[in-house]
């Protein structure tokens, strides 16, 4: 192994170590922010339910089995979480016209209002946080995160 190749390998290892560290920080802070967002949507919302609410909004009308598969969790777990969202009046169910045994889920009007309000607050927080960044760098960050997220979907 040449000195240049060994140095490149060390530099690459350091780059991946730094990436792992920074993603860990981002994930921890993201969980904390999601907990705040969860409280903004509804004070009684379970910790993981904010993300589920967002996913229902993205995939609506959504089948519970598809949500369970998306999150890699069991049907019993997703059923409990969905029941809690329904009890809080944030989602509603309608019969699935394709499969009479299944239901489709969508946000209720109340759920939509609460989620939209929480999202606007989150966007304002990001805007305030990144206010000193040039717009092209904000767009670049968004593009790089999108690219990374696409990779993780297929990994």
């Amino acid at each position: 192994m040449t000195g240049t190749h060994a140095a490149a390998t060390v530099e690459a290892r350091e780059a991946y170590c730094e990436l792992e560290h920074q993603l860990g920080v981002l994930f921890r802070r993201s969980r904390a922010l999601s907990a705040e967002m969860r409280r903004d949507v509804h004070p009684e919302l379970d910790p993981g339910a904010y993300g589920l609410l967002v996913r229902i909004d993205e995939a609506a009308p959504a089948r519970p089995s598809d949500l369970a598969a998306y999150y890699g969790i069991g049907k019993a777990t997703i059923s409990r979480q969905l029941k809690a969202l329904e009890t809080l009046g944030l989602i509603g169910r309608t019969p699935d016209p394709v499969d009479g045994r299944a239901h489709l889920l969508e946000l209720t009007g109340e759920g939509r209002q609460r989620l939209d309000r929480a999202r606007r607050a989150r966007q304002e927080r990001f805007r305030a946080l990144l206010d000193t960044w040039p717009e092209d760098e904000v767009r670049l960050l968004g593009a790089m995160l999108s690219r990374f997220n696409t990779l993780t979907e297929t990994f």
Side-chain angles (χ1 to χ4, degrees), residues 24-69:
V25 171
L26 177 66
F27 294 156
R28 284 189 299 279
R29 290 184 179 159
S30 177
R31 279 191 299 276
L33 180 58
S34 286
E36 287 179 34
M37 302 307 295
R38 164 186 65 88
R39 287 188 297 272
D40 287 347
V41 171
H42 196 287
E44 297 176 36
L45 201 61
D46 289 335
Y50 175 77
L52 181 55
L53 201 59
V54 169
R55 182 63 188 160
I56 291 169
D57 183 39
E58 292 170 347
R63 295 180 70 181
S65 58
D66 293 338
L67 294 168

Side-chain angles (χ1 to χ4, degrees), residues 46-109:
D46 289 335
Y50 175 77
L52 181 55
L53 201 59
V54 169
R55 182 63 188 160
I56 291 169
D57 183 39
E58 292 170 347
R63 295 180 70 181
S65 58
D66 293 338
L67 294 168
Y70 180 82
Y71 284 106
I73 58 177
K75 290 181 183 180
T77 301
I78 200 76
S79 291
R80 280 190 305 276
Q81 292 176 340
L82 293 172
K83 182 66 177 165
L85 290 174
E86 192 172 19
T87 299
L88 293 173
L90 302 175
I91 63 168
R93 297 174 188 255
T94 57
D96 184 340
V98 176
D99 181 355
R101 300 167 297 162
H103 288 89
L104 299 175
L105 306 164
E106 292 188 84
L107 299 182
T108 62

Side-chain angles (χ1 to χ4, degrees), residues 2 72 76 82 92 105 117 126 145-146:
T2 66
L82 293 172
L105 306 164
R117 186 173 54 241
F126 288 145
L145 287 171
S146 175

